[in-house]
Amino acid sequence: MTEYRIVETGQRLNGAELDAHLLFGVWTVVDRDGETWTVRDGDGDLLTVAPVGS
């Protein structure tokens, strides 16, 4: 399973955690470029979620 990191904070999450954040509306997708996601959190902040190693 792919491991991701939030670029702005360095926090890591796995694919299941990313799916859960999107499924339950914790984050809203703003853009997706390949495996890199730009999401908006509940506070309105933009976050970049990228695969580890990117």
Side-chain angles (χ1 to χ4, degrees):
M1 184 173 283
T2 304
E3 186 175 11
Y4 294 89
R5 68 182 169 81
I6 301 171
V7 174
E8 291 78 7
T9 65
Q11 178 182 348
R12 291 182 177 226
L13 61 154
N14 63 40
E17 291 170 314
L18 174 60
D19 287 346
H21 277 76
L22 298 173
L23 179 66
F24 294 109
V26 176
W27 291 340
T28 303
V29 176
V30 175
D31 189 32
R32 181 176 180 194
D33 182 16
E35 288 294 313
T36 301
W37 301 73
T38 302
V39 299
R40 187 172 308 275
D41 68 10
D43 294 328
D45 297 326
L46 288 176
L47 303 171
T48 305
V49 181
V52 172
S54 295

